[in-house]
Amino acid sequence: MPDDAAVARDAAEQDSAFAHPAVPPDATAAYGAHADQVIDFYAPRGAADRGAPLVVVLHGGAWRAPYDRAHVSPFADFLARRGFAVANVEYRRGASGGLVPAQGGAGPLAGRWPDTLDDVAAALDALPGLVRAALPVADPHRVVLTGHSAGGHLALWAAARHVLPESSPWHLARPAPLRGVVALAPIGDLRVADELGVCSGAVRQFLGGAGAGAGPMGSGAVGSGVDDAEVLFEERLAQADPAVLLPTGIATAVVQGRTDIVVPQAVSEAYADAAAKAGEVVGLTLLEDVGHFPLIDPAADACAVVAEEIAQLAF
């Protein structure tokens, strides 16, 4: 359990990251009919007419509806001011409210199965065509995927779609054309994150554990017993957990604050360990005296570290 000082520090870091006003994009394009199926584009500031690396940003917020792409728009603008073209992806998240039976309370639910993953897959599949029209300055051959927290999970997952079984609706026949992935305090090992209760049980909510009530792939009902819930959880874990979708063959770096009490260091270490066991090296950068939110806070030194990690893959 974090002590009072750690909780106060985390709150101050969150306040700093969320204090920046939202930065409007240079263009927005839809990849689907739902209001959340959109991508905001930011042109590189002061760059040449062509050839800027493209950074695709997947925001965090525990896959919950109250947190949308607006809170990472200052981060997107920060990257644009560093010479990157940026695509800030929105996707469907959990309902704004409702009973969470497994936790005995009401509150924002985490994720929609399978809509959240449907959207991330669809956005990235549509991205090349959307970029050509909305942000022609971007170089489609130099694409780096990044994401923070739950968005870090989605970034790692999106880069691993070719590892999914061919029967999966999200399967790709070959790896996505990425220079690499930079995952920021990612929920990269869903089983470990679930065991640690990350984000108040968000993993269990997202995957539809005890009390969630939808069948595998969202297609039907299951019984009310604990065994049924665990079967459902395990089935979906196999489809959604980056720590089991390895190796990807795509250069991957993880940036993690050592004092992060939202997504603890142990989760990133578990993902890196799983990659190593699969024969893949994942770079793990651990930042001293850094918590969860400085990684996306343009006012924090950690944000410059993130930009450098992206640049190492993009340039």
Side-chain angles (χ1 to χ4, degrees), residues 125-282:
D125 291 346
L127 189 63
L130 297 179
V131 167
R132 282 194 297 270
L135 201 62
V137 68
D139 184 347
H141 303 295
R142 290 194 292 168
V143 180
V144 175
L145 189 55
T146 191
H148 177 243
S149 195
H153 158 262
L154 295 172
L156 294 171
W157 176 84
R161 288 170 59 200
H162 60 288
V163 184
L164 287 164
E166 292 184 10
S167 59
S168 169
W170 306 304
H171 172 76
L172 289 179
R174 57 184 59 86
L178 300 171
R179 280 288 184 92
V181 180
V182 179
L184 313 177
I187 307 179
D189 188 312
L190 296 186
R191 189 181 299 278
V192 170
D194 179 56
E195 291 170 353
L196 294 175
V198 166
C199 297
S200 302
V203 172
R204 187 70 53 159
Q205 291 177 25
F206 178 31
L207 297 186
M217 304 302 296
S219 60
V222 299
S224 58
V226 173
D227 289 345
D228 287 334
E230 287 305 313
V231 168
L232 176 62
F233 181 75
E234 293 295 330
E235 288 177 348
R236 292 182 173 179
L237 196 73
Q239 291 274 324
D241 190 355
V244 302
L245 300 176
L246 291 164
T248 67
I250 294 174
T252 301
V254 174
V255 183
Q256 173 74 44
R258 285 190 180 274
T259 58
D260 191 334
I261 62 172
V262 179
V263 181
Q265 178 180 328
V267 179
S268 287
E269 290 177 331
Y271 174 77
D273 288 347
K277 290 175 182 175
E280 190 159 80
V281 176
V282 168

Side-chain angles (χ1 to χ4, degrees), residues 64-87:
R64 290 184 169 120
Y67 302 95
D68 62 17
R69 69 193 185 281
H71 81 270
V72 293
S73 64
F75 174 66
D77 178 67
F78 175 85
L79 294 176
R81 287 186 279 110
R82 293 288 182 119
F84 298 105
V86 182

